[in-house]
Amino acid sequence: MAHDSRYRAYNVRGGLEHEDDISEYFSLACPADSRLWRFMNSGDEFSAPMLLTSTDRSFDLLEVTVSAPFEETFDQAGIVIFCDMSPEEPWISPTSPQGRRRRRMHSEREHTGKWAKASLQQTSDGTLGLATVITHPNGWPDQSFAAITFDTSAHVGFQLHKTSLRIKFERVNDALWVWYRMPESFSTGQLYPEQVSNQYTKAREVGGFFAGSTAKSRVMVGCYASRPLENEKEFEAEFEALDIFPGS
């Protein structure tokens, strides 16, 4: 189960359901035009619903199974990590009007924080896959997308089909590793740690993501859902078997 029950919801209207059992199951409903994104000409936008917790020691691992009916382009649900920053202090482009005002007032401090997300996402041609975005203190975001083939044979009649994926962040020294696996690939019965690891596919390694982090560095981790395009309908994602482990 998750190591810390002190979760905080961001951009969640009416509070969370299932608050007593967050590590087993919860859902996030988000309106259209909600984002977790970095715009180079302005800064970060954190309007997507998120459920986050602060690790009381250095971060080690975060994983969860996400499920959702993906209907629109860029619908996404997944995990996010903030290192030495939080949703309350988004990065602001130094060339934006707000950034220029800060420089004139000599109040702009060096922003050393960064954030990353990994999500099950749908592209404009209907392809589903694992999307990642890694941000850097100097502003630019690094994006990647790995298409995944899902079995849709269970889709019956007009019932809205939900697609599921288990996603994992892992800290390995100063690097952030991103993994995924199909939930049904997880065998029943007792498994050794190396057997569990072998069922994951590594999506990418982000070298140096934790470089410069200390025991006092703030790390916030959790889950999010986003429907960044305009639509009359809400997008709802479900999250199961949330595991968060601090480092030693």
Side-chain angles (χ1 to χ4, degrees), residues 181-198:
R181 68 167 172 81
M182 301 295 184
E184 61 271 17
S185 70
F186 193 78
S187 304
T188 58
Q190 184 67 37
L191 293 176
Y192 293 105
E194 59 270 20
Q195 292 176 302
V196 175
S197 297
N198 289 339

Side-chain angles (χ1 to χ4, degrees), residues 151-178:
D151 180 10
T152 59
S153 59
H155 182 31
V156 179
F158 294 99
Q159 184 178 3
L160 200 56
H161 178 68
K162 293 182 180 179
T163 305
S164 301
L165 191 70
R166 190 156 183 85
I167 308 171
K168 178 169 70 173
F169 278 156
E170 181 182 9
R171 178 174 182 169
V172 180
N173 298 319
D174 285 340
L176 178 67
W177 290 11
V178 186

Side-chain angles (χ1 to χ4, degrees), residues 44 54 56 67 70 126-127 151 153 168 202-203 229 231 234:
D44 291 331
S54 297
D56 52 7
S67 302
F70 293 85
T127 301
D151 180 10
S153 59
K168 178 169 70 173
K202 186 189 294 181
L229 299 186
N231 191 292
E234 282 191 337

Side-chain angles (χ1 to χ4, degrees), residues 77-98:
I79 56 179
V80 60
I81 179 170
F82 295 89
C83 187
D84 274 332
M85 66 177 298
S86 76
E88 286 94 352
E89 49 176 347
W91 176 81
I92 297 173
S93 170
T95 60
S96 67
Q98 185 176 358

Side-chain angles (χ1 to χ4, degrees), residues 136-157:
H136 300 266
N138 62 3
W140 56 274
D142 179 5
Q143 306 175 53
S144 72
F145 181 82
I148 302 173
T149 301
F150 292 90
D151 180 10
T152 59
S153 59
H155 182 31
V156 179

Side-chain angles (χ1 to χ4, degrees), residues 10 23 35 41 64 67 69 73 111-112 115 118 123 143 145 148 152 164 168-169 175 182 214 221:
Y10 294 82
S23 63
R35 299 179 181 85
N41 61 347
V64 73
S67 302
T73 299
H111 202 312
T112 59
W115 59 268
T123 63
Q143 306 175 53
F145 181 82
I148 302 173
T152 59
S164 301
K168 178 169 70 173
F169 278 156
M182 301 295 184
T214 67
V221 294

